[in-house]
Amino acid sequence: MLEALAEHREVLALDLPGFGESPPVPETPTPRALAKAVASFLASKGVTRPHVAGNSLGGWVALELALLGQARSATAIAPAGLWAAPLLPKRGFARRLARAGLPMIAPVASTGLGRRLLLAGAVAYPGRVPPQAAAHLVRSYATAPGFREVNDAMRAGRFEALERIRVPVTLAWPEHDRLVRRPAWLPGTVKSRVLKHCGHIPMWDAPSQVAKLLLDCSRD
């Protein structure tokens, strides 16, 4: 969605600590610790209080940035952390399977059936994801050096400060999300939107719909 967003906004996309090319944080990688690392990175680039947005864990990090006073607004798509109680650690079977099958990911992702097998839990319409992008997504999931520690720290906590955020907050809920449920209660200060025909990672299901959401929520 970068091209669509960059037509109207200056866009900075980054890898969270422990993912992609970003090194892990030295302490326990809670969402708050990741947010502080992101704030430090933004400060190093001379970026002050941007509009921030994230998906899943990234949504939680966006909320933490807003709570820290480091954001002008926060848009959290299928945000982690708003569950009723901390979650148990995952055994990681799916990730171990993905790591074991790394040599086969590209061939499997090259077919429509293969993309449905790889991505059915993440997107509503796996066939809309190009084969190369599908393979990259699964490889990134399998090989991110900080994934296990970050995932464990995320599942062990909750974000309980929505009502304390003093900037505009929008939570967006994909209609067909199988991983994150909308909370039973939200503060009246928080806007809530539904992303139609989307799964947990909606950027491939409906990129124009998500781009419009981000543009609408980042108006000064």
Side-chain angles (χ1 to χ4, degrees):
M1 304 186 316
L2 286 177
E3 291 185 5
L5 294 173
E7 289 182 10
H8 305 280
R9 303 285 188 274
E10 182 178 359
V11 181
L12 182 63
L14 54 86
D15 296 328
L16 288 178
F19 297 83
E21 299 181 13
S22 297
V25 293
E27 68 267 36
T28 301
T30 63
R32 171 62 65 92
L34 301 185
K36 289 181 178 179
V38 171
S40 177
F41 172 78
L42 293 174
S44 75
K45 299 297 182 183
V47 178
T48 304
R49 296 186 70 246
H51 298 282
V52 297
N55 174 216
S56 195
L57 167 64
W60 187 345
V61 172
L63 296 176
E64 293 282 3
L65 284 165
L67 182 63
L68 290 169
Q70 299 295 322
R72 193 171 304 175
S73 71
T75 305
I77 300 170
L82 299 181
W83 34 69
L87 307 179
L88 294 174
K90 275 195 170 183
R91 295 181 180 274
F93 173 76
R95 187 163 181 261
R96 290 198 301 273
L97 184 62
R99 291 172 67 88
L102 281 172
M104 295 300 299
I105 287 176
V108 172
S110 67
T111 70
L113 175 60
R115 292 197 293 283
R116 286 197 296 273
L117 292 172
L118 292 172
L119 303 178
V123 297
Y125 301 97
R128 296 180 183 177
V129 185
Q132 186 176 2
H136 176 71
L137 191 157
V138 178
R139 284 197 205 97
S140 298
Y141 161 69
T143 61
F147 179 89
R148 180 174 178 178
E149 291 77 10
V150 169
N151 195 50
D152 287 348
M154 175 188 74
R155 294 177 65 85
R158 297 176 61 207
F159 185 78
E160 304 178 79
L162 278 175
E163 68 279 6
R164 290 165 45 202
I165 297 177
R166 297 292 179 252
V167 298
V169 173
T170 301
L171 305 181
W173 308 100
E175 184 179 29
H176 301 299
D177 195 342
R178 300 181 182 180
L179 300 178
V180 172
R181 294 182 180 180
R182 178 177 175 174
W185 176 86
L186 292 171
T189 54
V190 172
K191 294 180 181 178
S192 190
R193 299 268 294 270
V194 174
L195 295 172
K196 297 289 188 179
H197 313 299
C198 291
H200 183 66
I201 304 176
M203 288 73 76
W204 289 113
D205 286 322
S208 60
Q209 185 180 174
V210 179
K212 183 179 185 304
L213 169 75
L214 298 183
L215 292 172
D216 289 347
C217 294
S218 60
R219 298 184 188 278
D220 288 322

